[in-house]
């Protein structure tokens, strides 16, 4: 039973980790919060991600380096980047914006904004985890980025120099120093960079549900339903639900991830949101003695310790929301993982595909809608939804309360496009 409209201060559309973290912040401040999702909570990208709190990832995906690699990647239909040929006409405008975002001046602007967001993300996540009592779900083992050649490693150095200027600690490693951090790794990886400040959650799905429990204990309500539209009405918002129901709230937050674009467009914000389809395979406990998350930038995927097992996933398939999954991509990554970790047991795995909401400049949309300051956007985090969820929740709480946000949110405006 939906509460009567006067009882709802803020309706949040989307119960992924971003929407849930936002509900935590608002409920903690005494707001009466309603979370609405088309599915069960945290069953989208929040369910099957790699579990990394990637506070060191301040570099945008759109960059001159990626533009040089992309043509070669696209030649391999199971490689790090794929676009189904039939989808090319639809995604062409997004690709053009991505190319423009790779210009050095725009890369620098995106990096500055992302770095500010990551500083807030680290602080906000630590505080929220403490308040929610979820500290036992965090691992602080760092991450190991691995390269097969000196040329590939040297190509990564400008990005690390940028991170150094942001105060991010890391260490370049070779040979036995790499093996000490991850025994059983193929010797083909002779160059690596270790980031000790990287953290992982033990299981992203259980972590999101833990945050949801924290929000519900403070009064947040969960409702399942497909939101058809969000409208500015008088001094509030009206949320239309499939089946004819409607909800009135004093304020609304659109945190629907990959499904947010039509809701934003109806409010006057035509945001170029695209869908990265991410694939993975989660292997059961005992598959490998994985000491920490491993990233393979030359191959576009990661291997993470998840739920006592091993998750192999990543890569990018730009293919929208309706095409059937191509699980050969998951199989290709698992085959590479078996070569990179020769002792990996690949039997008994569970495949998954999810939708990452991606914007050309790698920055999310956070801020008021064009239609009304009472309707706030909070979507488009790409690979960084888990990482930036608590920071997004804090920024939205600032906007709801009429406070000056913790960081400058102008770079994240929906109107920047």
């Amino acid at each position: 039973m939906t509460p009567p409209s006067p009882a709802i201060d803020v309706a949040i559309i989307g119960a992924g980790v971003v929407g849930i973290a936002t509900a935590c912040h608002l409920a903690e401040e005494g707001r009466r919060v309603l979370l609405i999702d088309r599915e069960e909570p945290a069953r989208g990208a929040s369910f099957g991600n790699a579990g990394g709190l990637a506070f060191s990832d301040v570099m945008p995906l759109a960059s001159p380096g990626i533009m040089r690699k992309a043509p070669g990647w696209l030649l391999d239909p199971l490689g790090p980047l794929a676009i189904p040929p039939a989808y090319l006409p639809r995604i062409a405008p997004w690709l053009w914006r991505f190319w423009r975002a790779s210009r050095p001046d725009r890369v620098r602007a995106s990096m500055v904004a992302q770095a500010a967001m990551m500083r807030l993300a680290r602080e906000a996540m630590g505080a929220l985890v403490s308040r929610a009592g979820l500290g036992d779900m965090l691992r602080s083992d760092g991450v190991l980025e691995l390269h097969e050649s000196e040329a590939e490693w040297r190509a990564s150095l400008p990005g690390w120099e940028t991170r150094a200027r942001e105060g991010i600690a890391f260490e370049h490693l070779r040979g036995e120093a790499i093996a000490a951090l991850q025994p059983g790794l193929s010797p083909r990886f002779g160059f690596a960079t270790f980031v000790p400040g990287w953290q992982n959650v033990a299981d992203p799905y259980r972590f999101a549900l833990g945050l949801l429990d924290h929000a519900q204990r403070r009064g947040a309500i969960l409702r399942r339903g497909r939101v058809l539209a969000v409208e500015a009405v008088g001094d509030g918002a009206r949320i239309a639900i499939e089946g004819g129901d409607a909800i009135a709230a004093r304020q609304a937050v659109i945190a629907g991830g990959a499904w947010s674009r039509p809701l934003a467009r109806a409010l006057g914000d035509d945001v170029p949101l695209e869908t990265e389809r991410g694939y993975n395979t989660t292997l059961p406990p005992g598959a490998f003695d994985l000491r920490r998350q491993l990233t393979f930038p030359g191959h576009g995927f990661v291997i993470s310790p998840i739920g006592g097992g091993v998750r192999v996933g990543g890569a990018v398939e730009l293919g929208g929301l309706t095409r059937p999954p191509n699980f050969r991509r998951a199989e290709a990554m698992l085959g590479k993982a078996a070569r990179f970790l020769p002792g990996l047991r690949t039997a008994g795995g569970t495949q998954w595909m999810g939708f990452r909401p991606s914007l050309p400049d790698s920055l999310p949309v956070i801020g008021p809608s064009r239609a009304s300051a009472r309707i706030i956007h909070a979507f488009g985090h790409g690979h960084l939804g888990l990482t930036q969820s608590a920071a997004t929740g804090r920024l939205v709480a600032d906007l709801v309360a009429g406070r000056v946000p913790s960081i400058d949110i102008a770079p994240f405006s929906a109107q920047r496009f």
Side-chain angles (χ1 to χ4, degrees), residues 102-312:
S102 72
R103 289 166 37 186
D105 60 328
R106 298 196 176 195
V107 170
R108 174 64 184 169
S110 294
M111 189 280 297
V112 170
Q114 198 74 286
M117 183 66 166
M118 289 303 194
R119 288 191 291 271
L120 177 63
R122 179 182 290 278
E123 190 274 325
M125 181 60 79
L128 180 56
V129 165
S130 177
R131 297 194 302 272
L134 297 175
D136 61 341
M137 294 195 68
L138 284 190
R139 298 176 53 126
S140 299
D141 302 316
V143 65
L144 197 57
E145 180 179 291
L146 296 153
H147 301 279
E148 294 178 87
S149 69
E150 183 171 1
E152 182 185 301
W153 171 72
R154 288 194 178 279
S156 75
L157 294 182
W160 292 110
E161 292 167 3
T162 298
R163 293 179 179 92
R165 290 193 291 270
E166 293 297 327
I168 296 167
F170 58 88
E171 181 182 3
H172 297 309
L173 305 174
R174 296 192 183 191
E176 293 182 0
I178 300 172
L181 286 176
Q182 182 53 67
L185 185 67
S186 168
R188 68 197 291 169
F189 295 101
F191 302 83
T193 302
F194 178 59
V195 185
W198 183 288
Q199 294 178 303
N200 282 73
V201 299
D203 184 307
Y205 177 57
R206 290 197 303 111
F207 180 77
L209 293 185
L211 291 178
L212 177 61
D213 180 65
H214 177 68
Q216 289 179 312
R217 282 187 276 114
R218 279 148 186 80
I221 299 168
L222 180 67
R223 170 177 174 165
R224 187 168 180 178
R226 180 170 174 250
V227 174
L228 301 178
V230 182
E231 302 172 296
V233 178
D235 290 333
R238 178 181 180 275
I239 298 95
I241 308 293
E242 188 175 51
D245 197 3
I247 297 169
R250 293 182 176 89
Q251 293 172 286
V253 178
I254 297 176
W259 287 268
S260 300
R261 185 175 186 178
L263 300 178
R265 184 190 292 125
L267 294 163
D269 295 311
D270 193 7
V271 177
L273 184 69
E274 191 44 68
T275 303
E276 292 182 28
R277 298 147 57 91
Y279 294 83
N280 68 42
T281 304
T282 303
L283 302 172
F288 191 81
D289 180 19
L290 188 63
R291 306 289 176 87
R292 52 189 42 83
Q293 183 167 315
L294 309 178
T295 71
F296 303 88
H299 298 271
F301 75 97
V302 305
I303 303 177
S304 304
I306 297 287
V310 173
R311 179 166 291 168
V312 179

Side-chain angles (χ1 to χ4, degrees), residues 30-50:
R31 310 285 177 185
R32 291 162 293 191
V33 177
L34 175 66
L35 270 166
I36 312 167
D37 201 290
R38 63 174 61 219
E39 299 180 355
E40 294 299 319
R43 294 298 298 189
S46 302
F47 179 86
N49 64 65

Side-chain angles (χ1 to χ4, degrees), residues 390-401:
T392 301
R394 180 180 292 183
L395 292 171
V396 171
D398 288 340
L399 292 170
V400 167

